[in-house]
Amino acid sequence: METLTYLRKLAEYRQFTELEPLVQKYRAQTSDPAALPLLFLALAELGARGPAEAVLKTISPHQAGLDADALVDLGGGLIVLQRFEEAVPVLEQALGQRSGHALGLARLGYCRMALGELDLAGHLFERAAGLAPLRIPVLNNLARVHLLREDPEAAWKVLDRVWTLWPEIKKSVPRFIKAQYLHILELLQLEIWVAKEEFGAAEAWLETRSGRDGEITGWVKQYACFLAENNHHSQAEEVLRTYLGRDPDNIGLHMQLAELAQVQGRFIQAVSLLRRALKKDDKNIGLWVQLSQACLNRFDNQARKAAEKAVDLADALTETDERPFQSIRKIRAKAQNALAMVENSGQNYNAAERLFLEILEDFPDFVPALQGLGQQRMQQGDIDAAVALFERVRQIDPVKGQAMLMNARRFPGDTATLAHMERAAEIPSLEGRVRSGFLFHLASAWEKRGEYDKAMGFAHRANEAARRFLPYDPGAHRNRCARIRYAFSKSLYEHRKGCGHDSCLPVYVLGMPRSGTTLVEQIIAGHSRIFGAGELGTIPSRIQGLNRWERHVGSGRRYPDCIDDLNPYITRGIADGILEELRELAAGGDKPDARHVVDKLPHNFENVGFIKFLFPNARIISVRRDPRDIALSNYFTDYQAKHGGMGFAYDLTNIGRQLADHNLLMYHWQQLFPGEILEVKYEAVVDDLEGEARRMLDYLGVAWEPQVLRFNELERPVKTASVWQVRQPIYKTSKARWKNYQACLAPLIRGTNAPVEWDPVTDMITLPEPAFLQEGISFYKKGKLKDAELCFKKMLHFNPGHAACNYMVGLIYCSIGKIIAAIPHMEKALEKCPWKKEWRENLLKACELTGDVDKYNALKEQGDGRKGLAVSPGQLPVATSTPTVTDTAWYSN
């Protein structure tokens, strides 16, 4: 018994590394059944899940013969494995033997707290504290119960009680335990201050920590975390930036700030912070992994480079006393998982699978790999394999695993599990006080049970939580749609004949998100001559390329305004690039001879004008659906669109506005391209699959193939929110879904039926001819300065602020000796594009040639970013050459 008492004292003080071998030794020396539960607890705490579960299997047959202490040990191990429902009867059995078992009461209280039974948990913790008043963890959990009840005053009273007992507690525990207990109490104190919004007290205390030990990174990070958990994200960011300003090389603060930015949807900011940190520590594997995760699905090339760097660094690690071999393996697993996620995102499924399986061979319970492989199986259509992997996750992390299963439409059959998921959704995280993703899953689960009021209640809560990070502006979207209609007018196509490529390879399936675009693509992609490429970014990326070009040349324009500046040569080049990309995708998908490649990005409904400008013969299928069903499907879908791309979907009124914008745009396109866009109604596809499939294939100009009707059997990856739906045969339950929520649709109807009003388009320049700048450059390089000047001045007639044209006029004037006339043009250009070094250098040469000392000094100071470089009259250097343009000078700097 003395040995067991000592071993349990080690467990109380959380010395599990020391405990585990001692229990093994004790077990070998004695047949005492109490050794097994204690060994199970130690293994569970050390993260050795497999060995722990193996020991658990040997305990179960002998559970009835265990004494109260052994049962409490068994319950403790089950708690560590998050098997709270199983722990409750074990601990109740222990308390049946000894009702005053303080640790048993405390552990049962923890189970009740985890299961959301806060009143019962508080009662159990009070009883445990009465029996063991000096046990800090018990009192800490009692305070946490009050915090979960949103009663910080009661939590503060518990903390006061602990501080009163603190002198006595310090005498009763070893020194290292005293330090642990003090850390727990100070952490609790910080959390309560945040809950009470007593930020001054918290920050004053942080300052005292800084003065005392000079290392407060952990405390600052924890304070920022508490702030975020209470929805004070801006304040959390400010705190991190304040301390980062004092310690710019602090990698931990950089990583925390980047994570906070990512949670709020500021992905570019997160990437920038991580890159800044890597400049200070480019051997930090964790930083490279975090950078890869931040870039994934947005900047895929950067994500790959970061993941590959992490893997290379992990492979180069060597074993040391501070870094044992097992630790290196875990680091390598995290790096490999980052690379596997990149491969999966790029649809390199074989490479991703090899990496995932390699990780799981070493670490069978590595949740990120189980989750990643499960998501890959979902995309590939192997739903059963995905579910099996998510079930494994549920055994390790019940809440996360259940969320994954619900995402795969495997909803629990009991309401108790749903209640547990609701409690989990209300556990604060860096996201805030609630987890919107869990709430979306709960909305779907209650809808599946036919409890529509509950379902809508969860949908409202989920969308409200998600909207906090979405800077969506419905007015800006409406104005952008108006500019698109204005830019892509009938006159544009009449005056820009010959633009684009005559290829029929591209097919664009588009419409409102959740209108049925994935179903339509899946049907036509079943044809032997049609390859379904999924949602591609080819059109949006070219639009961004146009915007980058306009910024480069300082035109002051952007898409769609600049569309009239594209000539046949440029549009052909853009189109050729897209066609090459589509052919590569088809070849990689085992259809190298595909007659058509389908891009089913729904929001291409905004880009039909650009598509027809590039590909006049492109086939376009517009998918329509009852707008009320579209609205509900969007409102119940978690797009995780914190970057704002789907921001409209989190508000019923905004969904209504988006529907109205979509309808007006599609009417415009149908008027502009009569008879060229095929309209397909989702409800018609559901009612008459074969008839609609034949109509679509006829429109595309391919022969009928009956296998397109077996679209749910098609072996191709699907990465959209409809991933599970397209694996099912046609079902009609999605029709008229809105009737279940008819009483909740007033905001949607308001948004849809309100007058469609936008700001007048009065500032859009219309160029009579395209490519004045490009033609002028061509003439300039051939030495035809008058022709070049005419081109540039034509542009400046319509767009006086065009930086590149102003600059080139200035160069021409310099070339013919009109230096004084050149300088204003060059200044105007540089004012708009101050980053162009060669422009500045040539303007300096012009100032040298004219002897303008004041202007020369001002330019030097601006360019060098520092003072003390001024020259006096008579000291101005003599220009050795006239300003010139090289092949790339006008655009490269």
Side-chain angles (χ1 to χ4, degrees):
M1 289 302 293
E2 288 182 6
T3 302
L4 274 179
T5 301
Y6 172 71
L7 293 176
R8 289 196 173 108
K9 184 61 70 174
L10 288 176
E12 178 186 345
Y13 291 159
R14 306 193 60 76
Q15 304 302 297
F16 296 106
T17 303
E18 182 181 351
L19 173 63
E20 189 265 338
L22 291 176
V23 177
Q24 293 279 22
K25 182 178 178 181
Y26 178 73
R27 179 188 174 199
Q29 294 173 344
T30 177
S31 59
D32 189 346
L36 284 175
L38 199 52
L39 177 60
F40 168 58
L41 173 62
L43 290 169
E45 288 280 8
L46 291 171
R49 187 179 190 91
E53 290 184 338
V55 172
L56 179 61
K57 289 178 182 177
T58 66
I59 297 173
S60 298
H62 309 290
Q63 182 177 322
L66 296 175
D67 63 16
D69 288 332
L71 289 168
V72 170
D73 292 336
L74 176 57
L78 291 168
I79 288 171
V80 175
L81 297 183
Q82 300 188 57
R83 293 160 70 162
F84 303 113
E85 292 89 348
E86 295 176 52
V88 167
V90 172
L91 293 167
E92 287 179 338
Q93 182 183 344
L95 293 170
Q97 294 183 24
R98 195 194 312 168
S99 60
H101 198 298
L103 185 56
L105 288 165
R107 285 181 175 167
L108 184 57
Y110 191 89
C111 290
R112 297 302 184 189
M113 180 171 68
L115 295 170
E117 301 167 14
L118 299 182
D119 290 341
L120 183 52
H123 174 69
L124 289 164
F125 285 136
E126 284 284 11
R127 283 181 61 195
L131 293 166
L134 304 184
R135 288 184 66 89
I136 294 295
V138 175
L139 294 166
N140 178 62
N141 281 326
L142 177 58
R144 292 206 55 75
V145 167
H146 292 307
L147 287 172
L148 289 170
R149 287 172 170 163
E150 298 186 6
D151 188 356
E153 292 296 340
W156 190 262
K157 288 179 181 178
V158 174
L159 184 60
D160 272 344
R161 184 166 138 196
V162 178
W163 286 129
T164 302
L165 295 168
W166 181 242
E168 190 176 349
I169 294 171
K170 287 195 296 183
K171 297 175 185 177
S172 66
V173 297
R175 180 178 298 177
F176 73 96
I177 296 299
K178 181 180 73 173
Q180 291 179 13
Y181 281 179
L182 183 60
H183 182 82
I184 290 172
L185 294 176
E186 289 177 330
L187 204 60
L188 177 61
Q189 177 178 264
L190 196 59
E191 185 174 7
I192 295 173
W193 272 328
V194 173
K196 294 174 70 176
E197 298 192 356
E198 294 181 359
F199 308 121
E203 288 164 23
W205 180 82
L206 281 178
E207 289 296 324
T208 64
R209 292 292 304 186
S210 180
R212 189 169 73 195
D213 58 22
E215 174 52 63
I216 64 165
T217 300
W219 289 111
V220 171
K221 290 172 63 177
Q222 191 61 67
Y223 179 47
C225 186
F226 287 146
L227 287 168
E229 288 174 357
N230 284 271
N231 292 341
H232 302 299
H233 291 84
S234 297
Q235 195 169 339
E237 185 175 353
E238 182 184 352
V239 167
L240 289 168
R241 288 194 180 280
T242 297
Y243 282 91
L244 195 55
R246 299 179 188 180
D247 185 7
D249 295 334
N250 193 307
I251 301 301
L253 294 181
H254 272 97
M255 294 178 76
Q256 179 86 345
L257 189 57
E259 187 177 0
L260 187 63
Q262 198 168 341
V263 163
Q264 296 177 87
R266 301 174 186 168
F267 297 102
I268 293 177
Q269 181 186 1
V271 169
S272 176
L273 285 162
L274 293 168
R275 289 204 172 281
R276 193 184 310 164
L278 283 164
K279 289 180 180 178
K280 304 173 187 299
D281 183 6
D282 64 354
K283 298 293 191 292
N284 190 310
I285 297 171
L287 273 175
W288 286 109
V289 169
Q290 190 175 348
L291 177 62
S292 179
Q293 293 167 344
C295 292
L296 196 63
N297 296 322
R298 294 168 187 85
F299 317 108
D300 286 343
N301 287 337
Q302 293 184 49
R304 174 174 294 280
K305 289 178 181 176
E308 289 174 346
K309 180 69 173 180
V311 170
D312 289 344
L313 289 170
D315 287 342
L317 291 176
T318 55
E319 186 175 2
T320 64
D321 290 340
E322 295 78 17
R323 190 172 56 209
F325 178 66
Q326 187 69 2
S327 174
I328 291 174
R329 289 174 63 210
K330 289 182 179 178
I331 293 170
R332 187 177 291 122
K334 292 178 182 178
Q336 287 178 316
N337 193 75
L339 183 56
M341 294 301 294
V342 170
E343 298 289 8
N344 185 54
S345 179
Q347 299 188 25
N348 303 316
Y349 293 120
N350 291 336
E353 181 178 4
R354 282 195 301 272
L355 286 165
F356 283 133
L357 292 176
E358 185 178 334
I359 295 166
L360 293 172
E361 186 176 350
D362 285 340
F363 300 101
D365 299 328
F366 192 71
V367 168
L370 290 168
Q371 181 178 1
L373 185 57
Q375 289 170 340
Q376 178 176 315
R377 295 287 188 251
M378 284 277 289
Q379 292 166 12
Q380 293 175 301
D382 194 346
I383 306 297
D384 290 340
V387 167
L389 288 160
F390 296 155
E391 286 285 4
R392 284 177 62 187
V393 174
R394 185 166 65 169
Q395 294 172 5
I396 302 163
D397 186 332
V399 171
K400 182 174 286 189
Q402 187 61 63
M404 293 177 192
L405 287 165
M406 292 166 76
N407 191 49
R409 315 301 287 184
R410 295 298 194 270
F411 298 111
D414 62 302
T415 58
T417 302
L418 294 179
H420 184 56
M421 287 296 292
E422 183 177 357
R423 290 191 293 272
E426 293 168 348
I427 296 174
S429 69
L430 208 59
E431 183 182 340
R433 287 179 178 165
V434 296
R435 305 182 188 193
S436 60
F438 288 0
L439 295 174
F440 277 112
H441 292 321
L442 285 163
S444 297
W446 284 109
E447 181 182 55
K448 183 74 173 177
R449 299 176 70 87
E451 301 258 5
Y452 301 113
D453 288 342
K454 275 191 173 182
M456 183 56 84
F458 279 111
H460 284 326
R461 289 175 61 193
N463 283 285
E464 182 181 7
R467 278 199 304 271
R468 294 177 53 245
F469 302 131
L470 290 170
Y472 180 72
D473 184 346
H477 181 264
R478 184 150 288 177
N479 285 336
R480 186 168 73 251
C481 290
R483 296 188 81 88
I484 290 170
R485 293 192 300 272
Y486 190 93
F488 291 98
S489 62
K490 186 176 181 180
S491 62
L492 172 72
Y493 297 90
E494 290 175 346
H495 292 96
R496 297 293 186 270
K497 292 179 180 178
C499 285
H501 197 294
D502 60 3
S503 172
C504 294
L505 180 71
V507 172
Y508 294 91
V509 175
L510 46 85
M512 278 290 291
R514 312 299 293 161
S515 61
T517 54
T518 302
L519 174 62
V520 166
E521 184 209 24
Q522 191 80 347
I523 292 169
I524 61 177
H527 195 281
S528 62
R529 299 297 307 280
I530 301 174
F531 176 71
E535 295 183 3
L536 301 179
T538 53
I539 297 300
S541 70
R542 267 57 180 193
I543 290 172
Q544 290 307 311
L546 292 177
N547 287 334
R548 285 194 300 273
W549 168 266
E550 298 300 327
R551 286 195 298 272
H552 250 320
V553 300
S555 71
R557 308 176 85 199
R558 57 181 293 113
Y559 180 89
D561 305 32
C562 62
I563 198 68
D564 62 355
D565 202 19
L566 304 185
N567 62 11
Y569 175 78
I570 295 171
T571 54
R572 178 71 183 225
I574 296 172
D576 282 340
I578 292 174
L579 291 173
E580 182 180 357
E581 195 171 329
L582 296 180
R583 292 189 188 102
E584 287 178 357
L585 287 168
D590 297 326
K591 287 188 179 180
D593 299 323
R595 180 173 175 177
H596 295 297
V597 178
V598 184
D599 176 353
K600 62 130 296 199
L601 186 69
H603 259 89
N604 269 334
F605 71 78
E606 296 179 358
N607 304 324
V608 170
F610 187 43
I611 290 169
K612 295 293 281 184
F613 200 64
L614 297 175
F615 302 107
N617 298 323
R619 299 293 188 264
I620 297 175
I621 299 177
S622 169
V623 186
R624 309 300 291 259
R625 184 183 181 188
D626 188 309
R628 294 163 294 191
D629 285 335
I630 287 176
L632 282 168
S633 188
N634 276 283
Y635 199 61
F636 274 70
T637 299
D638 182 14
Y639 291 104
Q640 299 180 350
K642 291 171 183 170
H643 57 289
M646 288 290 294
F648 73 91
Y650 296 83
D651 180 275
L652 284 171
T653 302
N654 285 342
I655 295 173
R657 293 185 181 118
Q658 181 94 182
L659 283 161
D661 292 343
H662 165 264
N663 288 342
L664 195 55
L665 264 176
M666 289 313 303
Y667 176 80
H668 176 76
W669 301 134
Q670 292 282 12
Q671 296 300 305
L672 199 56
F673 309 110
E676 297 181 39
I677 300 173
L678 179 68
E679 188 170 287
V680 173
K681 292 185 178 179
Y682 172 82
E683 291 81 4
V685 175
V686 171
D687 289 338
D688 181 12
L689 174 60
E690 182 174 343
E692 289 301 298
R694 286 182 178 276
R695 193 165 74 93
M696 287 186 278
L697 295 183
D698 284 346
Y699 168 72
L700 297 176
V702 295
W704 169 253
E705 291 181 357
Q707 73 263 21
V708 301
L709 302 179
R710 300 191 299 275
F711 64 90
N712 57 301
E713 300 172 9
L714 187 60
E715 293 185 2
R716 56 178 291 265
V718 177
K719 297 180 68 176
T720 73
S722 307
V723 60
W724 69 272
Q725 291 169 307
V726 297
R727 306 304 182 187
Q728 318 300 320
I730 283 286
Y731 59 94
K732 300 187 178 184
T733 55
S734 58
K735 285 176 57 179
R737 175 188 183 188
W738 63 270
K739 291 182 179 179
N740 299 318
Y741 302 97
Q742 193 165 0
C744 306
L745 298 184
L748 169 69
I749 294 168
R750 269 198 310 274
T752 307
N753 293 341
V756 181
E757 299 173 342
W758 58 88
D759 295 338
V761 182
T762 59
D763 61 338
M764 192 177 289
I765 299 166
T766 301
L767 299 178
E769 298 175 31
F772 286 131
L773 173 63
Q774 290 85 343
E775 288 185 16
I777 290 291
S778 178
F779 282 131
Y780 181 88
K781 290 179 179 178
K782 294 174 183 177
K784 298 180 179 181
L785 299 186
K786 287 187 177 180
D787 292 331
E789 181 184 358
L790 180 60
C791 287
F792 299 137
K793 284 191 171 179
K794 282 182 181 179
M795 177 66 85
L796 292 176
H797 172 77
F798 295 98
N799 185 5
H802 196 293
C805 285
N806 270 302
Y807 175 69
M808 292 306 300
V809 168
L811 279 184
I812 290 172
Y813 285 170
C814 287
S815 300
I816 61 178
K818 296 182 178 180
I819 309 299
I820 294 175
I823 288 176
H825 284 282
M826 299 175 80
E827 284 182 313
K828 195 170 185 179
L830 192 62
E831 184 180 347
K832 205 160 192 179
C833 300
W835 59 87
K836 290 188 175 288
K837 295 179 180 179
E838 188 147 351
W839 291 16
R840 185 178 301 279
E841 290 169 4
N842 279 333
L843 180 53
L844 280 167
K845 286 182 181 179
C847 291
E848 292 171 23
L849 290 168
T850 61
D852 192 334
V853 175
D854 292 339
K855 193 164 290 182
Y856 179 88
N857 284 335
L859 282 167
K860 284 293 288 182
E861 185 175 320
Q862 291 169 11
D864 292 318
R866 61 186 187 274
K867 297 185 178 181
L869 298 171
V871 298
S872 303
Q875 295 179 319
L876 192 65
V878 178
T880 56
S881 61
T882 302
T884 58
V885 63
T886 65
D887 285 354
T888 60
W890 65 278
Y891 66 83
S892 64
N893 291 300

